[in-house]
Amino acid sequence: MKTARRMVFWLLLAAILLVFLFPLLLDFQTSLKTEGDIASFPPKWVFTPTLEHYENVFSGSGYPFGQFFLNSFVIASGTSIVTVLVCIPAAYAMVRFGVGLKKFFSFIISLKLLPPIVFAIPYFALYQFAGLLDTRTGLIWAAVVMNVPLTLMLMVGFIQELPVEIEEAALMDGCSPGGILARIVFPLIGPGVAAAAILTFIFTWNEFLFVRILSDARAMTTTVGSTLFIQAYGIRWGDIAAAIALSVLPPLVFTFFVQRYLVKGLSMGAVKG
Amino acid sequence: MKHHGKWLSALVTAGMLVALSGCSGSSGQPSAPSQPSTEPGTSKPVEKQTVTMLYWPGPESDAMQKVVDHYNQMQGATDGVEVKMAPAPREGFWEKEAAMMGADNKDIDVYFTASYKIGEHKDDLLPLDEKLGDSLKLYIGTTIDSLKNGGQTYAIPTDVSNHFMYYRKDLIDRLLTDANWQAAYKEVSKKITGKELVPKKPEEWNWDDFTATAAFFTQSIHPDSPTQYGTVLQAKNLIYNVMIWDDILYSLGGSWYTSDGKANFDTPETRKALEVYASLTKNGISPAAASTFEYPETNQAFQSGKAAMILQWSAAYHELTDQAKSGQIFDKVGIAPIPGDQHKTHVHSLGVGINKHSDKQEASLKWMKYLATKEAMQTYAENGGIPPVADVLNGMKEKRPEFPAIAQHVDQYGYVVDTSEKVFPILEVLARHFSAVWAGQADADAAAKNAQAEVTTLLGK
Amino acid sequence: MLYTRKQAYWMMAPLAVVVIALVAFPTLYAYFVSVHDARLSGASASFIGLNNYTATLTNGSFYGSIWYSAKFALFATIAELIAGVGLALLFNRTFRAKGLFTSLLLLPLMVAPSLFALIFRLMLNDFVGVVPYYLNEWGIRVQPFDPALVNTTLIAIDALQWTPFVFVIVYAGLATIPDELYEAARVDGASPVQSFVRITLPLLVPTLAIVAFLRGIDAFKIYDMIYVLTNGGPGELTTSVSLFIYKKAFLEGNIGEAAAASILLTFILAPLLGLAVKFIVRRGA
């Protein structure tokens, strides 16, 4: 009976994973096919794999894909760090002092309601003026604004869960507010901070609209860079599949190592409301 | 807990370093020339001006890159100019360029433009007639017209686009000779178009012939058909698809404007042209999913041998006749003019013009002068572009059999729909209303009336 | 109270500076543009008062797109909540290589929505796509992009991408429910279904509310995927409000009306926001 139940469980798990991973597996398979094999029908499951699309992505396309990867990495990590660093003290002040918990917090959450397209045109004008067009710095700031609402929401939730007594004791011992924040609050909500940083990293890595409008070649990320293979006439499916496969890899590796922090962090309190 | 603290502080420190390097890396290096090999180095302090040209990616930019390389190595050295191409994604290209122009950007010296954009772009581009003079005579007349606005030429054409009807030679040949097929054809044509038709050569088709032949090659109507669908429309809600549909409108004698420049969509021709698409969809001659199709999907349908005819851009010929890409049909591809009582094909050019706000207009002009030579256009054609120069096109018959046909069709059947700044907004209105009719989701009469009303408002402003 | 008000303001300062610097300008700009006849082509924009607002408010397509976004958000969120909770329950036990499987399940989140949609554009293609081929082989004659089915297809794609997000949050939420509660229920003789309904579900409600809010808002804003797959068509069958604004601004070149539509949208969504904030900070400080 127990073995039977376990069998069912594993079969179910396998079926679910197959459904959710099918698009990516197929993408990976496509990236190894020649254009002729991609267009052939019925679909070919046995074929001679080729690495030509990966070569195209890096050298044959004329686009600096290595640079795109570096940009994605810098922008995604930079955004995660800046977002977390500005949100922690603010969330702390909101929770422990009640400052801006009504109006300012609502205002920030309201940013999440607006479709990003609304910001696209003014940002272009602003960045043009400030010389931030096609810079990683500019893209980091734009991404920070997009990610602050969720991070702040999570942080407020985490800090609400903390018992105030520890901090009061520290205060008695003569800790400065900055010291309390750095030495007591930060370690306590550590996993939660990590979860917020991971989510921000992933969302920024995948951001499309702003990067498309605010960058050219120097600051372009892999996500937008991959669409360079959609051309006036047709889509280079093989190249685009290779680019997608490559662009998924870094966040995948990253998540593989930090996924337990994601779960641990999210279960810290924010999601309990 | 301590464990997390350590882990996190490591992450934060590492991230900080990355972020810092990101800031200095992005602000420190202004566009370095992409070809260090052509750099003279420190020993020879020649002032070389870098002209940055925006060009959209694709076969056009691959070909243009070769012209650019050629120029940088030879003529550019004399001119003291180095041209650099800025890549930009194809998706959202025009939106981005518009944002750049709106902000009077100076980083781009030469803008990419097109017939349907020239009206919008003209305020940011330099008129070229006086500056280039006779060089403009190099091009096929309609293509220069397609980049004119208010009598001024704002760009030089580099690439020309028109439509062909692609058909399966093997199938049509058999239809024209096989008596059994012809008998079946009669029945099918009676059923679908209400007329008993006889198979004709593709060059002689009107829309009834097209519909009847497409029905004949549709398995759900004629089970013995070797192809699943007669045709596969590009019916996605997309402005480029309106350009193809326009061919039907114009071939039936319709047009966007009346002779005094008013909107002209509330007409029998519009309704009839809409019905041609709608009936293909309703009868299952073109698949229902075609309402999400654009260029690549329609090409794939033809490449996989599932469609007998398609209306498609001229650029597809090269791909459809390539054995590696189109193994099943590469040797069976025929081209004919777009059907109709009169054959019509939309013509537009892609081109380049000089940014009015650029600080390097003189240097840009030197590059443009080179670009407007037969030599440059020959290089462009040999590397996959389609330059609107009749001599070059006709001279490449061996390597690109479709080139002479392009030159001929553009000249003989080509029409330029409009080059005002309203083209895109109008195309958008038409795409919105007409794509619903194409998919059988809306009524042709209502769509024609709505389009008429909205376009009239647009023109009025 | 632990600190002085002054200290609290200092802590708020970094966030306030960043947000105000990066939001104030775009917002003012949007208001400015919304009362001008602003065009993408940059030609002179004259003041036209509230014309852009009346034009938007009398445009049936504007309401249509909001209605579409709302419907899309509703169905996508429901589908993702159900699937996500199911998955979380499945994973809420110990089994071998759980970490690896959790990571694998999170994979769809790693793909940018625009690129994810591109994969489906190939995968669901009638002529070379794998899915229609096998459906056809098994005698199921469906075209996923048939206008009659296209919305189901779009929601399914959205669900394939975002169910993992719901999963990870709900799974984290499940982890916070103390085991003692389940043990007590078992002692009382409750079946697994009963303990799910009586213990899990009530304790999960706040988590579900937050995840529904997050997913609902994002699904409401849907843009990338629809842009790649249907571009809002046929007609306006799949035009979301983001796509409506995008087309107004960048295809019709009417920045003024696009800005007016954006501003109106914030007013329409404001009551919803009030509710959400009330829920999130209901425990207050």
Side-chain angles (χ1 to χ4, degrees):
Chain A
M1 192 60 202
K2 220 173 179 184
T3 9
R5 273 184 64 176
R6 200 175 287 164
M7 280 279 286
V8 171
F9 170 79
W10 283 106
L11 280 175
L12 195 62
L13 191 66
I16 287 167
L17 281 174
L18 188 68
V19 168
F20 280 94
L21 297 183
F22 189 66
L24 280 167
L25 292 173
L26 199 83
D27 176 80
F28 182 62
Q29 190 213 35
T30 305
S31 73
L32 298 174
K33 281 181 172 178
T34 61
E35 287 290 337
D37 283 339
I38 294 170
S40 84
F41 208 67
K44 275 192 186 172
W45 293 101
V46 182
F47 57 91
T48 325
T50 169
L51 287 177
E52 63 172 308
H53 300 302
Y54 288 90
E55 281 163 26
N56 280 348
V57 165
F58 278 107
S59 52
S61 63
Y63 304 122
F65 242 82
Q67 174 73 26
F68 294 170
F69 269 103
L70 182 68
N71 291 341
S72 281
F73 192 74
V74 170
I75 293 167
S77 7
T79 305
S80 300
I81 290 156
V82 174
T83 309
V84 163
L85 287 184
V86 298
C87 281
I88 293 177
Y92 189 68
M94 283 177 179
V95 173
R96 288 286 182 253
F97 208 86
V99 177
L101 193 53
K102 290 268 142 56
K103 285 188 183 137
F104 191 53
F105 187 69
S106 312
F107 169 70
I108 292 201
I109 301 297
S110 76
L111 293 177
K112 203 165 164 48
L113 293 180
L114 282 181
I117 185 84
V118 173
F119 291 100
I121 303 158
Y123 266 41
F124 190 90
L126 179 67
Y127 277 19
Q128 171 87 21
F129 176 75
L132 285 172
L133 273 186
D134 201 15
T135 64
R136 296 188 280 217
T137 319
L139 292 175
I140 288 176
W141 289 121
V144 165
V145 173
M146 291 300 122
N147 283 291
V148 153
L150 178 64
T151 306
L152 189 70
M153 216 173 110
L154 291 172
M155 293 302 154
V156 166
F158 297 147
I159 297 175
Q160 276 178 343
E161 287 287 302
L162 293 184
V164 75
E165 292 77 18
I166 308 177
E167 292 154 49
E168 277 167 347
L171 197 67
M172 295 295 166
D173 293 348
C175 256
S176 69
I180 292 178
L181 205 56
R183 272 185 248 146
I184 298 172
V185 177
F186 190 76
L188 281 175
I189 62 169
V193 173
I198 294 163
L199 287 176
T200 304
F201 184 93
I202 295 171
F203 290 148
T204 309
W205 186 282
N206 291 341
E207 209 286 320
F208 185 67
L209 189 81
F210 280 116
V211 179
R212 196 177 83 178
I213 292 176
L214 302 177
S215 78
D216 274 329
R218 274 180 286 149
M220 187 178 282
T221 62
T222 41
T223 299
V224 175
S226 303
T227 62
L228 289 169
F229 299 107
I230 302 177
Q231 303 177 328
Y233 291 113
I235 297 177
R236 281 155 68 183
W237 287 115
D239 292 355
I240 221 165
I244 293 175
L246 287 170
S247 74
V248 172
L249 210 58
L252 165 70
V253 171
F254 178 66
T255 315
F256 179 72
F257 285 110
V258 298
Q259 98 10 67
R260 63 201 177 102
Y261 294 96
L262 188 62
V263 173
K264 195 167 204 154
L266 287 173
S267 58
M268 270 192 64
V271 294
K272 284 198 296 180
Chain B
M1 271 312 148
K2 237 184 179 158
H3 174 69
H4 298 305
K6 240 188 221 164
W7 182 84
L8 267 164
S9 57
L11 178 82
V12 169
T13 320
M16 282 288 229
L17 288 173
V18 171
L20 283 175
S21 72
C23 300
S24 57
S26 52
S27 52
Q29 290 276 324
S31 53
S34 58
Q35 252 112 16
S37 58
T38 56
E39 279 289 294
T42 45
S43 57
K44 215 172 136 204
V46 181
E47 272 289 321
K48 222 176 198 188
Q49 278 198 297
T50 304
V51 167
T52 309
M53 178 169 74
L54 199 64
Y55 213 80
W56 81 9
E60 296 98 347
S61 79
D62 295 346
M64 185 51 77
Q65 186 63 54
K66 292 280 167 19
V67 184
V68 167
D69 291 347
H70 215 254
Y71 176 77
N72 285 343
Q73 275 158 24
M74 316 292 287
Q75 179 76 30
T78 329
D79 290 349
V81 174
E82 173 159 37
V83 180
K84 195 185 132 239
M85 291 223 288
R90 166 75 182 82
E91 298 278 331
F93 181 91
W94 298 118
E95 293 88 311
K96 198 171 144 189
E97 193 172 60
M100 285 176 155
M101 286 179 170
D104 293 349
N105 189 306
K106 287 186 177 182
D107 299 337
I108 299 292
D109 306 299
V110 177
Y111 277 125
F112 186 71
T113 187
S115 306
Y116 44 84
K117 277 283 163 186
I118 201 78
E120 262 176 61
H121 289 174
K122 67 172 192 292
D123 294 337
D124 291 279
L125 296 175
L126 228 48
L128 295 171
D129 301 84
E130 282 167 31
K131 297 190 156 45
L132 288 172
D134 281 351
S135 312
L136 296 178
K137 290 187 180 145
L138 180 73
Y139 304 98
I140 301 175
T142 34
T143 62
I144 287 289
D145 292 345
S146 77
L147 293 170
K148 269 190 178 163
N149 184 295
Q152 295 271 29
T153 312
Y154 287 96
I156 54 171
T158 53
D159 215 282
V160 63
S161 292
N162 66 292
H163 303 138
F164 290 134
M165 181 183 75
Y166 294 81
Y167 64 92
R168 284 278 297 277
K169 261 192 290 192
D170 54 331
L171 301 180
I172 301 295
D173 283 350
R174 187 167 161 205
L175 180 62
L176 288 169
T177 50
D178 186 319
N180 289 337
W181 274 27
Q182 286 177 348
Y185 182 89
K186 232 180 220 175
E187 262 175 52
V188 169
S189 68
K190 174 102 192 174
K191 193 168 132 199
I192 300 296
T193 65
K195 300 168 196 161
E196 267 191 26
L197 298 174
V198 195
K200 284 185 227 149
K201 280 193 207 154
E203 291 76 19
E204 295 162 9
W205 288 357
N206 60 24
W207 290 107
D208 278 339
D209 296 309
F210 179 84
T211 307
T213 314
F216 178 82
F217 286 114
T218 301
Q219 273 162 4
S220 62
I221 294 173
H222 174 228
D224 292 338
S225 162
T227 54
Q228 192 179 354
Y229 295 104
T231 189
V232 172
L233 298 173
Q234 299 180 41
K236 188 171 176 177
N237 174 347
L238 207 66
I239 55 171
Y240 300 98
N241 293 343
V242 176
M243 295 175 188
I244 298 179
W245 174 84
D246 273 341
D247 291 349
I248 306 178
L249 178 70
Y250 277 74
S251 75
L252 292 168
S255 68
W256 275 25
Y257 299 114
T258 59
S259 48
D260 53 351
K262 293 202 175 101
N264 192 30
F265 294 102
D266 193 8
T267 61
E269 289 82 15
T270 307
R271 287 186 192 84
K272 204 173 163 211
L274 286 171
E275 286 301 340
V276 170
Y277 262 38
S279 88
L280 291 170
T281 305
K282 279 178 200 155
N283 289 315
I285 298 169
S286 165
S291 61
T292 59
F293 284 6
E294 47 186 302
Y295 180 96
E297 282 85 0
T298 293
N299 249 13
Q300 276 162 352
F302 197 69
Q303 280 172 318
S304 61
K306 299 226 163 187
M309 285 115 54
I310 54 172
L311 307 173
Q312 182 63 293
W313 298 86
S314 51
Y317 187 87
H318 199 49
E319 216 174 303
L320 295 175
T321 53
D322 180 337
Q323 185 169 7
K325 286 179 181 159
S326 316
Q328 301 186 42
I329 50 109
F330 72 100
D331 52 350
K332 306 179 185 107
V333 181
I335 46 175
I338 298 292
D341 297 324
Q342 39 179 339
H343 302 305
K344 286 287 178 188
T345 174
H346 160 103
V347 167
H348 74 244
S349 317
L350 307 174
V352 287
I354 300 175
N355 180 3
K356 206 160 96 180
H357 304 286
S358 158
D359 297 327
K360 301 171 189 161
Q361 294 180 2
E362 283 309 309
S364 306
L365 192 63
K366 285 179 186 162
W367 154 243
M368 297 280 272
K369 276 186 176 152
Y370 171 77
L371 199 54
T373 59
K374 201 183 159 191
E375 183 200 342
M377 288 293 100
Q378 184 75 36
T379 313
Y380 187 66
E382 276 164 10
N383 289 289
I386 310 177
V389 179
D391 283 354
V392 173
L393 290 175
N394 288 323
M396 285 189 57
K397 200 176 171 188
E398 296 300 312
K399 208 174 154 197
R400 299 290 297 264
E402 80 275 28
F403 274 11
I406 291 175
Q408 188 213 343
H409 287 204
V410 167
D411 199 37
Q412 243 176 298
Y413 311 127
Y415 64 93
V416 176
V417 71
D418 186 12
T419 57
S420 79
E421 74 276 19
K422 305 284 189 192
V423 183
F424 242 50
I426 294 175
L427 283 169
E428 160 55 21
V429 169
L430 300 185
R432 178 151 40 85
H433 288 299
F434 293 171
S435 67
V437 183
W438 302 340
Q441 301 283 303
D443 175 55
D445 184 57
K449 287 205 166 77
N450 288 335
Q452 174 74 14
E454 278 193 44
V455 174
T456 304
T457 321
L458 269 176
L459 294 173
K461 263 194 183 170
Chain C
M1 277 297 130
L2 285 169
Y3 312 109
T4 64
R5 225 179 158 75
K6 209 170 150 195
Q7 282 169 327
Y9 280 125
W10 275 114
M11 290 184 186
M12 299 284 285
L15 179 66
V17 169
V18 168
V19 168
I20 288 167
L22 288 161
V23 174
F25 173 79
T27 311
L28 290 176
Y29 184 94
Y31 274 95
F32 174 82
V33 160
S34 74
V35 291
H36 286 79
D37 183 22
R39 296 282 152 175
L40 193 60
S41 42
S44 60
S46 53
F47 179 78
I48 53 164
L50 295 177
N51 281 9
N52 284 328
Y53 289 91
T54 45
T56 307
L57 286 173
T58 52
N59 186 346
S61 302
F62 177 60
Y63 299 106
S65 69
I66 292 179
W67 178 229
Y68 179 79
S69 284
K71 272 193 297 183
F72 184 88
L74 182 71
F75 287 115
T77 308
I78 289 176
E80 285 153 24
L81 277 182
I82 293 174
V85 171
L87 282 177
L89 288 174
L90 188 74
F91 270 67
N92 194 25
R93 67 194 71 205
T94 47
F95 56 89
R96 196 176 299 188
K98 188 167 161 182
L100 175 72
F101 287 113
T102 312
S103 295
L104 284 176
L105 196 54
L106 293 181
L107 251 176
L109 282 180
M110 309 301 149
V111 196
S114 50
L115 301 180
F116 202 64
L118 266 176
I119 299 177
F120 277 90
R121 200 166 145 188
L122 181 64
M123 198 166 119
L124 298 181
N125 182 294
D126 270 13
F127 301 101
V128 296
V130 174
V131 174
Y133 176 80
Y134 285 103
L135 288 181
N136 224 338
E137 288 285 284
W138 300 328
I140 308 170
R141 291 207 159 259
V142 290
Q143 295 185 354
F145 289 123
D146 185 314
L149 272 179
V150 67
N151 278 315
T152 317
T153 306
L154 291 176
I155 286 170
I157 296 175
D158 196 70
L160 272 182
Q161 174 144 45
W162 291 104
T163 298
F165 179 73
V166 177
F167 154 76
V168 74
I169 292 185
V170 174
Y171 174 61
L174 280 179
T176 63
I177 299 176
D179 284 339
E180 296 83 46
L181 287 180
Y182 291 112
E183 267 159 41
R186 208 174 305 140
V187 171
D188 290 349
S191 70
V193 177
Q194 280 172 324
S195 61
F196 173 74
V197 173
R198 288 201 211 138
I199 301 171
T200 318
L201 216 46
L203 286 172
L204 220 46
V205 163
T207 308
L208 293 178
I210 285 185
V211 87
F213 170 74
L214 291 173
R215 273 314 301 146
I217 288 297
D218 278 344
F220 186 84
K221 294 191 292 190
I222 181 99
Y223 166 78
D224 297 2
M225 182 182 85
I226 290 184
Y227 174 74
V228 170
L229 287 173
T230 69
N231 201 26
E236 295 178 305
L237 189 67
T238 58
T239 303
S240 70
V241 69
S242 291
L243 200 61
F244 172 83
I245 293 173
Y246 163 82
K247 286 190 170 184
K248 260 278 174 268
F250 289 107
L251 285 176
E252 290 182 32
N254 197 338
I255 307 251
E257 252 185 78
S262 312
I263 291 166
L264 287 171
L265 185 66
T266 37
F267 286 118
I268 293 168
L269 292 177
L272 207 89
L273 170 75
L275 262 177
V277 171
K278 212 171 151 190
F279 195 84
I280 295 164
V281 295
R282 76 189 193 291
R283 278 198 258 169

